[in-house]
């Protein structure tokens, strides 16, 4: 869920950012997943608000859901001005995102998944 992802990152990467800010950052990566992988039209994008949607499951399921945590870590590093750490964190995110992208493309026909009710 949105909240479990935020809490997990907060536990091993303490930070001063609000849950609302972290939810917005998760909306960024969720938007990338929806438009670049699931091929949603921009008007169909799912966006979350914290705390109203804190118990809503995110779209990417395990084991690929780690892309959410790596993205949050990278955003925290960037916002803190830790640019070298940010670069490393983005490499981790890009690997996580790429792994999900490859799995999804091999498992589904991305253009057909939305039409056939897979998503």
């Amino acid at each position: 869920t949105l909240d479990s992802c935020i809490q997990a990152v907060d536990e091993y990467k303490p930070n001063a950012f609000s849950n609302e800010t972290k939810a917005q950052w998760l909306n960024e990566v969720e938007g990338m997943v929806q438009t670049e992988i699931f091929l949603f039209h921009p008007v169909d994008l799912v966006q979350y608000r914290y705390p109203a949607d804190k118990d809503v499951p995110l779209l990417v399921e395990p084991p690929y859901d780690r892309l959410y945590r790596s993205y949050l870590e990278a955003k925290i590093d960037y916002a803190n001005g830790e640019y070298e750490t940010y670069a490393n964190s983005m490499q981790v995110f890009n690997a996580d995102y790429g792994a999900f992208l490859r799995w999804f493309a091999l498992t589904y026909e991305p253009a057909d998944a939305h039409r056939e009710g897979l998503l």
Side-chain angles (χ1 to χ4, degrees):
T1 65
L2 182 68
D3 194 50
S4 64
C5 180
I6 290 171
Q7 298 308 317
V9 171
D10 285 349
E11 193 169 315
Y12 58 83
K13 192 171 195 82
N15 62 85
F17 300 101
S18 70
N19 289 341
E20 291 80 7
T21 296
K22 288 178 271 198
Q24 184 56 44
W25 289 337
L26 287 171
N27 278 329
E28 292 173 10
V29 71
E30 197 78 316
M32 288 188 292
V33 167
Q34 292 173 74
T35 58
E36 296 172 7
I37 299 175
F38 295 166
L39 305 178
F40 282 17
H41 190 280
V43 297
D44 295 329
L45 295 183
V46 175
Q47 293 284 290
Y48 308 110
R49 285 174 306 193
Y50 197 93
D53 299 320
K54 71 179 191 168
D55 296 322
V56 173
L58 299 172
L59 295 175
V60 178
E61 297 179 356
Y64 301 101
D65 62 338
R66 65 185 177 264
L67 68 89
Y68 296 116
R69 294 183 300 278
S70 58
Y71 190 77
L72 272 186
E73 290 177 42
K75 293 298 281 190
I76 290 167
D77 293 336
Y78 184 82
N80 283 332
E82 298 170 355
Y83 301 120
E84 287 183 29
T85 306
Y86 164 74
N88 293 334
S89 297
M90 279 306 292
Q91 285 183 337
V92 173
F93 165 72
N94 288 330
D96 292 342
Y97 188 81
F100 176 67
L101 172 64
R102 284 186 297 282
W103 172 82
F104 190 83
L106 290 171
T107 306
Y108 300 103
E109 292 290 331
D112 295 337
H114 190 63
R115 183 187 62 208
E116 294 176 12
L118 296 173
L119 302 173

